[in-house]
Amino acid sequence: MASKVWSEDRFSCPVCLELLKDPVAIPCGHSYCMGCIKNCWDQTDHTGVYSCPQCRETFTPRPDLCRNTMLAEVVEELKKTGLNPPPAQSYAGPGDVPCDFCTGRKFKAVKSCLTCLASYCETHVKPHYEGAAFKRHKLINAIGDLEQKLCAEHQRVLEVFCRTDQTCICWLCTDREHKSHNTVSAETERTGKQKQLGETQTEIQQRIQERLKETDEMKKAVESLKRSACIEIKESEKIFTELIRSIEKIHTEVIELIGANEKAAVNQAEGRMKKLEQEIAELRRRNAELKQLSETEDHIHFLKNFQSLCAPPEAGDLPSVTVNTDISFGAVRKAVSELKDHIEDFCKGELVKITKTVNKVAVYSLQAPAPRNRAEFLKLNKVADYRLQAPEPRNRAEFLKYSCQLTLDPNTANRNLCLSEGNRKVTWRRETQRYPDHSERFESQPQVLCREGLSGTRCYWEIECSGGGADIGVTYKGISRKGGDRSCGLGFNDKSWSVYCSDSSYTARHNNNETAITAPRYPRIGVYLDFNAGTLSFYGVSDTMTLLHRFQTTFTEPLYPGFWVWGSDSSVTICQLN
């Protein structure tokens, strides 16, 4: 076998690494395929210096190449006796496992022997296939770091798996450190784990198919949403264009109405003034004649004309008028302004409805994955049993099923807050209340908490606010009570959630992050807590329940309802629902 390997190497071309074809020997004694050496020297013709690719000896001028007949006959004879050309091999590159038996530049290994702890190229692995001494050796596809296959303690091959310590060991370890442990052969453990791996692969493939299906459905839904949105935008533009035209028409009609009224009034006034000017001219003419008559010295002339000239002037057909010196279209402007305010208020209310309708449109809704084994079922029952509960209430009657009784805790009330009505109402007072010192009392912030801590269930309560602004919220018991800055306030830290209510706006707060809410003023606010689902919802209570804001999180401690009240005689009342 050694001679055959030697023969293959001996009669291979150093350039193409294949069995010599038309062999030639150059002056230094090395042999090549005629085509290979000719191509090498053709590339150096421009220098006039030619060298041997192996020993680098140079020749000038270019040597003549003649076929080595004897060497060619030897190669042909070797072919006839069964010598096959060496397999096509490639040199080991970055990331490849090199052959441990190649000298010089190493070929890429194709197999690793777990017995020899060595890797072999296609040439050097052949003894493992043909030699009887290697029949029991275990060959695997070439891998690196064969040292990791050895026991660090005994330098023996790792062939055993310790189930007690979940680690690979050698046979010597089974008689020493792992003597009393549950051990099996690595092959046996692999068989069991292979089955588990197959199950995991099957599950992953199934989930891939599910996700691909979801992705496909979501793509279709997105395209449908885009088409629908495009249509609705165009239709909405048409409607708003018509609305704008209607407003522009009203605008034109009002302008024309004012102009027509102005023109009619001006024409009427100008006609009246023309008649007045004519009457004034006639009176001035009569006055001139009377003056001339009064100045004449002819008594006969005076007496003859006196009767006709001194007759009283005709009253005329013009009635007396009262002139309005304070003319203004202010009433029209006021009416137009009221129309503007009415339209804006109407649009704001309608925008809230439109916003809620638009927000209901979603490509997908999130659902928790179904449990896949008993452990996940048990976890589901222990941690997420809220999924088995009834759906979220849809009207006030359903919310009232979860109503709870709350009372204010005097030990937490700030000294500017006065409690009344059986500790269900809190009012801000300028004068300080005489509460005793208590560790849970809010020192600076005008806040108070309820006695009841809420957890693990659904709860609903309603609040009425009057006067100035008020915060309605919930908090963990650990909220700071002593600080003077806003970090103690409801919604300004990571321990509390609140909605601030004023006469003109709402603002949701948590961890000092604020969200403005556009909604009309509601005299009563409903608060719905689903502790297990991690939702805290605020509703405007009227004939219908209008969602103002919903917090989504994970609650880890009992929650205490609380209130921040500010402003003279401002108050918050916990409503009786039963």
Side-chain angles (χ1 to χ4, degrees):
M1 183 63 200
S3 63
K4 184 174 181 180
V5 173
W6 175 84
S7 298
E8 291 177 359
D9 293 339
R10 178 65 175 147
F11 297 104
S12 296
C13 173
V15 176
C16 67
L17 302 178
E18 296 182 0
L19 202 62
L20 290 167
K21 298 176 183 178
D22 294 329
V24 296
I26 61 176
C28 64
H30 291 111
S31 299
Y32 299 91
C33 297
M34 181 178 290
C36 292
I37 192 64
K38 183 178 180 182
N39 289 336
C40 288
W41 285 354
D42 286 345
Q43 296 175 11
T44 58
D45 270 341
H46 64 284
T47 64
V49 178
Y50 306 93
S51 61
C52 173
Q54 283 187 279
C55 66
R56 298 301 178 184
E57 183 177 347
T58 59
F59 314 104
T60 305
R62 177 171 176 167
D64 294 329
L65 297 176
C66 296
R67 187 170 184 269
N68 189 324
T69 305
M70 182 179 293
L71 185 56
E73 291 176 353
V74 171
V75 171
E76 290 300 321
E77 185 64 27
L78 288 173
K79 286 182 180 181
K80 293 178 181 179
T81 59
L83 176 64
N84 295 320
Q89 301 187 91
S90 59
Y91 291 108
D96 294 329
V97 179
C99 175
D100 291 323
F101 281 81
C102 286
T103 58
R105 188 176 180 183
K106 295 181 178 292
F107 283 114
K108 177 180 176 181
V110 294
K111 294 291 181 181
S112 295
C113 178
L114 295 181
T115 305
C116 302
L117 291 179
S119 299
Y120 303 93
C121 64
E122 290 185 0
T123 298
H124 292 117
V125 77
K126 287 184 177 180
H128 277 74
Y129 293 129
E130 301 172 2
F134 299 103
K135 290 295 184 183
R136 295 184 179 181
H137 288 207
K138 187 172 182 179
L139 292 176
I140 61 173
N141 291 333
I143 59 172
D145 299 327
L146 284 171
E147 288 295 324
Q148 294 184 1
K149 308 299 179 185
L150 293 177
C151 174
E153 181 71 21
H154 307 108
Q155 295 300 306
R156 296 293 184 92
V157 177
L158 300 173
E159 299 178 281
V160 182
F161 185 79
C162 177
R163 289 177 172 173
T164 304
D165 293 338
Q166 290 293 301
T167 186
C168 295
I169 59 176
C170 68
W171 284 109
L172 290 178
C173 291
T174 60
D175 292 331
R176 299 180 185 179
E177 296 88 347
H178 300 264
K179 185 175 182 179
S180 60
H181 292 183
N182 180 11
T183 59
V184 295
S185 68
E187 184 177 0
T188 301
E189 185 67 17
R190 164 67 184 272
T191 302
K193 292 254 192 293
Q194 187 74 34
K195 181 180 179 182
Q196 183 180 346
L197 179 65
E199 293 174 353
T200 303
Q201 283 181 303
T202 301
E203 181 180 343
I204 289 176
Q205 291 170 0
Q206 181 179 353
R207 293 182 66 180
I208 289 173
Q209 294 302 317
E210 292 173 354
R211 291 298 185 256
L212 288 174
K213 182 180 178 181
E214 289 177 7
T215 302
D216 184 58
E217 292 176 350
M218 194 170 294
K219 286 180 180 178
K220 293 178 181 178
V222 168
E223 292 302 320
S224 176
L225 178 69
K226 288 180 178 179
R227 289 193 299 269
S228 177
C230 183
I231 293 172
E232 293 307 317
I233 288 173
K234 290 180 180 179
E235 293 300 320
S236 297
E237 286 178 348
K238 290 181 182 179
I239 295 172
F240 278 107
T241 300
E242 292 174 1
L243 176 61
I244 292 170
R245 286 175 182 170
S246 298
I247 295 175
E248 288 177 345
K249 183 179 179 181
I250 295 174
H251 172 221
T252 302
E253 290 176 355
V254 171
I255 297 303
E256 290 177 351
L257 179 63
I258 295 173
N261 184 275
E262 174 197 10
K263 185 177 180 180
V266 169
N267 290 339
Q268 185 180 10
E270 288 178 347
R272 176 75 182 184
M273 286 188 293
K274 186 176 181 180
K275 291 182 178 180
L276 289 173
E277 288 171 356
Q278 290 174 354
E279 184 176 346
I280 291 170
E282 179 62 23
L283 291 173
R284 283 177 176 173
R285 185 189 62 77
R286 289 280 303 278
N287 184 56
E289 290 178 350
L290 291 174
K291 182 180 180 183
Q292 184 179 3
L293 181 63
S294 68
E295 293 176 353
T296 184
E297 295 178 358
D298 187 347
H299 302 300
I300 301 301
H301 176 75
F302 178 87
L303 293 172
K304 286 183 176 182
N305 291 284
F306 174 80
Q307 188 68 30
S308 62
L309 292 178
C310 286
E314 296 179 1
D317 59 352
L318 293 178
S320 63
V321 297
T322 301
V323 179
N324 182 9
T325 59
D326 187 21
I327 300 174
S328 172
F329 282 96
V332 178
R333 183 171 63 251
K334 182 180 178 182
V336 173
S337 179
E338 290 176 352
L339 174 62
K340 166 184 165 292
D341 294 340
H342 178 72
I343 291 175
E344 287 181 348
D345 292 341
F346 177 78
C347 289
K348 287 180 181 178
E350 292 303 309
L351 180 60
V352 173
K353 296 179 183 178
I354 293 172
T355 301
K356 291 176 181 177
T357 302
V358 172
N359 289 340
K360 289 179 181 177
V361 179
V363 174
Y364 63 90
S365 58
L366 295 177
Q367 296 180 349
R372 292 163 292 181
N373 50 53
R374 184 173 183 272
E376 291 188 359
F377 269 110
L378 293 175
K379 182 179 179 182
L380 178 68
N381 291 332
K382 181 179 180 181
V383 180
D385 57 347
Y386 64 87
R387 296 186 187 129
L388 303 177
Q389 298 179 3
E392 185 163 328
R394 293 163 295 180
N395 52 54
R396 188 166 182 266
E398 292 183 1
F399 278 102
L400 291 176
K401 294 178 182 178
Y402 303 100
S403 62
C404 60
Q405 296 294 329
L406 299 177
T407 54
L408 301 171
D409 185 356
N411 292 331
T412 65
N414 177 266
R415 287 189 169 89
N416 285 107
L417 299 181
C418 176
L419 306 186
S420 60
E421 297 184 11
N423 289 341
R424 289 189 299 103
K425 182 177 181 179
V426 54
T427 306
W428 188 87
R429 293 281 189 261
R430 190 176 301 276
E431 60 272 19
T432 302
Q433 307 299 306
R434 295 183 179 180
Y435 295 130
D437 291 338
H438 198 282
S439 60
E440 294 183 2
R441 191 174 309 286
F442 290 98
E443 287 187 348
S444 300
Q445 299 296 332
Q447 296 182 150
V448 61
L449 303 183
C450 291
R451 297 178 184 272
E452 297 78 10
L454 309 177
S455 64
T457 184
R458 294 181 171 195
C459 299
Y460 176 75
W461 61 99
E462 291 182 355
I463 304 299
E464 287 184 350
C465 303
S466 63
D471 258 300
I472 303 171
V474 298
T475 179
Y476 294 149
K477 196 169 186 177
I479 188 173
S480 177
R481 319 292 176 103
K482 308 302 181 185
D485 57 11
R486 295 200 308 174
S487 64
C488 300
L490 291 172
F492 290 100
N493 48 69
D494 61 356
K495 294 180 173 61
S496 59
W497 298 259
S498 72
V499 167
Y500 173 74
C501 309
S502 71
D503 289 335
S504 58
S505 66
Y506 298 92
T507 304
R509 296 189 182 120
H510 172 63
N511 202 18
N512 206 22
N513 294 318
E514 297 186 352
T515 301
I517 303 170
T518 302
R521 171 70 173 174
Y522 291 94
R524 181 175 287 202
I525 302 298
V527 185
Y528 175 71
L529 170 66
D530 190 339
F531 189 93
N532 291 331
T535 59
L536 176 68
S537 307
F538 293 81
Y539 291 85
V541 180
S542 58
D543 294 336
T544 59
M545 302 291 289
T546 302
L547 178 64
L548 301 176
H549 189 76
R550 176 180 288 118
F551 294 99
Q552 182 70 59
T553 184
T554 300
F555 298 120
T556 58
E557 302 175 28
L559 295 168
Y560 292 80
F563 311 97
W564 180 96
V565 186
W566 178 259
S568 179
D569 294 329
S570 295
S571 66
V572 170
T573 303
I574 302 172
C575 302
Q576 289 276 26
L577 299 180
N578 293 331

